[in-house]
């Protein structure tokens, strides 16, 4: 891989991202802020730059540094995170902020291994922070980098099966500008060597690319056979008081969507169970919601009770429809409520 040419390309084509220090500013001596890079990297796991930008900007408005985030109640963090998915990340984010604030005086460790001791920071995020913020010579391999590597080497195996080898391949090419290199190859994957048809004509790595030389670079990476996603089924209950406020409750502190808000719902099973309503009343069927989690597909039958006096056997709270957006509601339960109420 011609890293000099890649860095030259990055100098002229780096994406303008709110958490990034441009290569021009790096040359002027400006340093990336580890708090911002960490926040963006946690948010970017499993999602895209386009989705993350607004969340990132709002988080920074509320909590401009790690001490402020650590001092915030977890409920507030979960509320601002609602809609980003993978909610354990938000809980870990808050826990990590606490550790950095109280045990490290607000200063993130610089090396990958120390970073990985912190809650929610795995090998990828540790590598990304240490390379981008501290120019540590470590391989930073995300989905974009895997694809670019697979094409550069015309890899005949699905990248997920040879992660270590890809890491080694990247590691062998990390130059002195380790942070810019990590971001350059990610940018190349996001803008030139894209998942569909790569734009090899404008690629700085074309001359050494085995995928390009093959004449059919889009056939790489070789895809792994997809496992069939299991299906689960359940019921969800939208309860309104006086045709207005909606009843919400908090999920348990462990497991999927832990500590987030929800409407009452049944267990999620391999077969649909008989409906057991959470309170008596004149229930109406409101249709079905399908939601795809990473490991299973969930189908919920939605039930609606418009005029409820109270939910005596449930601990929760009532929320006006116009305030639902401010609740820590995962997308699944937003979809469930939207079956009945516009908000
Ligand atoms: Fe990707 Fe084409 Fe560049 Fe190779 S030459 S890295 S396939 S864009």
């Amino acid at each position: 891989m011609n890293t000099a040419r890649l860095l030259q390309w990055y100098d002229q084509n780096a994406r303008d991202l709110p958490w990034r220090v441009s290569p021009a500013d790096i040359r002027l001596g400006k340093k990336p802020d580890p708090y911002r890079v960490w926040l963006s990297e946690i948010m970017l796991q499993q999602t895209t730059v386009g989705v993350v930008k607004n969340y990132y900007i709002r988080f920074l408005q509320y909590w401009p540094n790690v001490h402020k985030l650590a001092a915030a109640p977890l409920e507030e963090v979960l509320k601002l995170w609602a809609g980003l998915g993978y909610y354990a990340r938000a809980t870990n984010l808050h826990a990590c902020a606490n550790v950095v604030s109280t045990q490290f005086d607000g200063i993130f460790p610089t090396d990958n291994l120390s970073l990985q001791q912190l809650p929610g920071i795995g090998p990828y995020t540790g590598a990304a922070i240490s390379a981008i913020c501290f120019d540590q010579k470590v391989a930073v391999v995300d989905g974009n980098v895997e694809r670019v590597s697979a094409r550069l080497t015309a890899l005949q195996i699905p990248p997920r099966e040879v992660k270590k080898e890809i890491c080694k391949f990247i590691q062998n090419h990390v130059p002195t500008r380790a942070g810019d290199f990590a971001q350059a190859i990610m940018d190349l994957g996001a803008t030139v060597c894209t998942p569909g048809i790569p734009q090899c004509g404008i690629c700085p790595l074309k001359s050494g690319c085995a995928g390009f030389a093959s004449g059919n670079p889009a056939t790489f990476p070789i895809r792994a056979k997809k496992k069939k996603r299991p299906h689960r089924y359940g019921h969800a209950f939208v309860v309104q008081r006086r045709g207005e406020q909606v009843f919400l409750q908090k999920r348990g502190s462990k497991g999927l969507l832990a500590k987030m808000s929800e409407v009452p719902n049944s267990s999620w099973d391999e077969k649909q169970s008989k409906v057991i309503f959470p309170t008596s009343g004149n229930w109406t069927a409101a249709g079905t919601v399908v939601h795809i989690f990473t490991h299973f597909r969930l189908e919920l039958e939605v039930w609606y009770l418009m005029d409820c006096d109270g939910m005596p056997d449930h601990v929760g709270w009532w929320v006006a429809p116009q305030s639902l957006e401010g609740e820590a509601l995962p997308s699944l339960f937003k979809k469930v409520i939207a079956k009945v109420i516009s908000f």
Side-chain angles (χ1 to χ4, degrees):
M1 183 190 330
N2 190 331
T3 50
R5 212 174 281 160
L6 176 66
L7 286 169
Q8 237 173 38
W9 172 86
Y10 180 67
D11 287 341
Q12 286 154 16
N13 297 283
R15 286 179 295 172
D16 185 14
L17 301 173
W19 46 84
R20 175 176 282 176
V21 175
S22 71
D25 282 343
I26 293 273
R27 271 198 298 278
L28 293 172
K30 199 167 170 200
K31 301 266 185 242
D33 176 353
Y35 172 67
R36 292 175 177 225
V37 172
W38 162 72
L39 183 60
S40 67
E41 287 297 342
I42 301 289
M43 286 184 165
L44 282 164
Q45 289 165 15
Q46 315 283 349
T47 186
T48 60
V49 165
V51 172
V52 162
K53 270 185 184 170
N54 285 341
Y55 282 91
Y56 171 83
I57 289 166
R58 276 190 80 200
F59 261 68
L60 269 198
Q61 281 164 352
Y62 272 72
W63 305 301
N65 58 54
V66 73
H67 295 301
K68 292 260 196 284
L69 179 57
L74 175 61
E75 285 70 28
E76 291 301 309
V77 176
L78 290 173
K79 277 183 188 175
L80 247 68
W81 193 275
L84 251 186
Y86 299 93
Y87 295 94
R89 288 183 299 158
T91 310
N92 280 330
L93 184 89
H94 190 248
C96 182
N98 268 293
V99 175
V100 174
S101 173
T102 56
Q103 295 176 28
F104 293 85
D105 206 16
I107 298 165
F108 280 82
T110 57
D111 69 283
N112 188 1
L113 290 181
S114 306
L115 283 159
Q116 285 183 51
Q117 304 303 311
L118 296 170
I121 298 189
Y124 166 77
T125 310
I129 298 170
S130 59
I132 295 171
C133 301
F134 307 111
D135 269 331
Q136 302 264 322
K137 287 189 163 192
V138 287
V140 184
V141 181
D142 69 353
N144 278 322
V145 179
E146 276 183 2
R147 181 175 58 260
V148 174
S149 305
R151 286 176 176 163
L152 283 172
T153 57
L155 185 67
Q156 300 297 326
I157 305 167
R160 293 283 145 110
E161 292 174 22
V162 283
K163 272 175 169 281
K164 273 192 188 150
E165 286 76 2
I166 291 179
C167 250
K168 223 170 167 187
F169 169 72
I170 295 294
Q171 184 72 59
N172 287 339
H173 289 91
V174 180
T176 317
R177 290 172 62 190
D180 281 349
F181 171 71
Q183 295 172 97
I185 194 159
M186 283 182 207
D187 278 20
L188 190 81
T191 61
V192 176
C193 195
T194 48
I197 307 289
Q199 300 178 63
C200 302
I202 56 165
C203 178
L205 300 181
K206 187 171 64 175
S207 63
C209 178
F212 174 67
S214 78
N216 205 352
T219 53
F220 304 100
I222 307 282
R223 306 224 179 279
K225 277 206 182 109
K226 271 199 177 163
K227 279 192 200 140
K228 216 176 162 226
R229 216 182 237 123
H231 290 201
R232 289 196 199 163
Y233 303 87
H235 300 275
F237 308 99
V238 180
V239 183
Q240 271 190 297
R241 188 163 64 176
R242 293 188 284 278
E244 289 177 7
Q245 294 166 313
V246 181
F247 184 79
L248 296 185
Q249 59 189 27
K250 194 169 174 176
R251 290 180 66 79
S253 57
K254 294 249 156 58
L256 197 63
L257 311 177
K259 299 181 186 171
M260 299 296 287
S261 304
E262 64 176 4
V263 296
N265 59 100
S266 68
S267 59
W268 304 342
D269 304 314
E270 284 173 16
K271 285 191 178 145
Q272 184 61 292
S273 55
K274 196 167 168 273
V275 59
I276 301 171
F277 296 113
T279 187
S280 57
N282 195 13
W283 288 91
T284 311
T288 305
V289 160
V290 172
H291 192 79
I292 307 295
F293 288 104
T294 317
H295 301 298
F296 64 96
R297 173 189 184 274
L298 177 66
E299 199 172 308
L300 291 180
E301 290 297 323
V302 181
W303 297 90
Y304 173 46
L305 179 60
M306 197 169 106
D307 230 343
C308 179
D309 289 337
M311 295 283 285
D313 298 331
H314 287 72
V315 178
W317 63 99
W318 297 92
V319 182
Q322 61 270 25
S323 302
L324 284 168
E325 274 300 350
E327 293 290 333
L329 275 170
S331 309
L332 165 65
F333 291 108
K334 282 188 178 164
K335 281 200 254 178
V336 165
I337 297 172
K339 273 277 171 198
V340 179
I341 300 162
S342 319
F343 68 103

